[in-house]
Amino acid sequence: MSLIAANWKMHKTPKETEEYIKRFLEIYQPGEDREVLLCPPFTSLSVAHELLAGSDIKLGAQNCHYEKEGAFTGEISLKFLKELGCSYVIVGHSERRHLFGESDEMINRKLVACLEEGLRPILCVGETLEEREAGITFKVIENQIRLALSGIEEYTDNIDIAYEPVWAIGTGVPATPQDAVAVHRFIRDLLKTVNPEGEIGFRILYGGSVKPDNAQNFTKHREINGFLVGGASLKPESFVEIVNAF
Ligand code: 13P
């Protein structure tokens, strides 16, 4: 089953979320064999949860803290997210890594917490332009995945991975489908190595400047099991078009 996820980042107030979801539900049609996920900001989860009740659209958070509760000013735990109807959490997004200093160790702890609480993490990985140009893309991805999965290698069927090359995020310049496919194959083989007993229950999503007019270039390839969409998910019409590409 493919997964098409909207990462709204720091966009949309609760009121704007309400307008979006009402419109989205008017134009969205459930499809066979695909799952649709909205990840609004924390402050919009409550209204989204109410409005999505009765639909097959899933709700997710963009980040989480790994402790259940305590003196962690400004943080949000998985326990809170569960009560608001979240079944997914984006973990280790490139903006968290690069703008907020999230380390591989923190990302690992978040994944452990997600597995404990039964929320499905979408682990984001991706190389910078410098790393790509230096020819170390696969090495960087392997390192990110191995560190993120340290100690939880046997749970590869309980997570999804988003390959988001940093240089493609928000730039309007997506990876070529060929480059994305090569990395997706690499990730799939790596996860098989990490967990030889696994049943390939994970999905590998592509993210980075996915738009309605380029989505189909990716969906042709069986290695691409879904999308993580930023900018183009902010309008219900364009996100529906991307969903329908699957
Ligand atoms: P854009 O689709 O805006 O490039 O963002 C991708 C992304 O970061 C999704 O998590």
Side-chain angles (χ1 to χ4, degrees):
M1 167 124 45
S2 49
L3 173 63
I4 308 103
N7 175 9
W8 290 358
K9 309 191 179 183
M10 199 171 75
H11 292 282
K12 298 200 187 293
T13 66
K15 183 92 196 76
E16 290 164 344
T17 299
E18 182 180 340
E19 288 162 8
Y20 180 107
I21 292 180
K22 285 184 171 160
R23 176 68 184 141
F24 189 77
L25 289 173
E26 278 171 11
I27 56 178
Y28 159 78
Q29 299 195 320
E32 292 275 302
D33 217 29
R34 70 179 183 213
E35 223 176 341
V36 175
L37 169 67
L38 297 183
C39 301
F42 291 134
T43 43
S44 287
L45 287 172
S46 181
V47 64
H49 181 37
E50 275 172 38
L51 290 167
L52 294 176
S55 81
D56 68 344
I57 298 164
K58 303 277 169 52
L59 191 59
Q62 299 173 16
N63 185 25
C64 65
H65 190 58
Y66 41 80
E67 297 289 350
K68 286 189 172 60
E69 59 183 14
F72 302 103
T73 301
E75 293 295 327
I76 301 289
S77 89
L78 292 158
K79 186 174 142 186
F80 308 164
L81 298 175
K82 256 169 49 173
E83 198 170 309
L84 289 173
C86 291
S87 48
Y88 283 86
V89 186
I90 298 171
V91 176
H93 189 278
S94 130
E95 285 144 22
R96 303 277 345 145
R97 291 176 190 261
H98 295 108
L99 302 176
F100 301 103
E102 228 170 78
S103 66
D104 290 301
E105 194 216 330
M106 283 164 76
I107 290 164
N108 172 250
R109 293 180 76 170
K110 291 180 182 196
L111 290 181
V112 170
C114 285
L115 294 171
E116 279 173 5
E117 292 293 330
L119 278 91
R120 193 171 175 94
I122 300 174
L123 168 66
C124 300
V125 296
E127 81 288 2
T128 62
L129 188 58
E130 295 72 50
E131 290 163 342
R132 174 156 284 263
E133 286 174 350
I136 55 170
T137 296
F138 293 137
K139 207 171 142 214
V140 168
I141 303 283
E142 173 164 1
N143 205 35
Q144 289 173 340
I145 290 182
R146 285 195 186 272
L147 292 172
L149 295 183
S150 169
I152 47 171
E153 288 85 354
E154 69 267 43
Y155 294 100
T156 52
D157 289 336
N158 301 88
I159 67 169
D160 297 306
I161 306 264
Y163 169 53
E164 300 206 301
V166 178
W167 46 271
I169 296 177
T171 58
V173 184
T176 64
Q178 290 69 29
D179 283 344
V181 162
V183 176
H184 282 222
R185 279 195 191 136
F186 175 79
I187 294 173
R188 185 186 157 102
D189 290 346
L190 176 63
L191 292 185
K192 285 201 298 200
T193 312
V194 162
N195 181 18
E197 309 293 312
E199 294 180 358
I200 327 250
F202 55 82
R203 289 162 292 189
I204 306 172
L205 320 181
Y206 170 75
S209 297
V210 175
K211 308 284 177 208
D213 61 5
N214 63 29
Q216 278 179 351
N217 301 339
F218 293 95
T219 56
K220 282 193 260 202
H221 300 275
R222 66 186 159 76
E223 289 84 354
I224 297 186
N225 313 129
F227 290 132
L228 184 53
V229 188
S233 72
L234 293 174
K235 288 210 166 71
E237 290 78 9
S238 67
F239 188 51
V240 158
E241 269 192 68
I242 292 171
V243 167
N244 289 339
F246 269 95

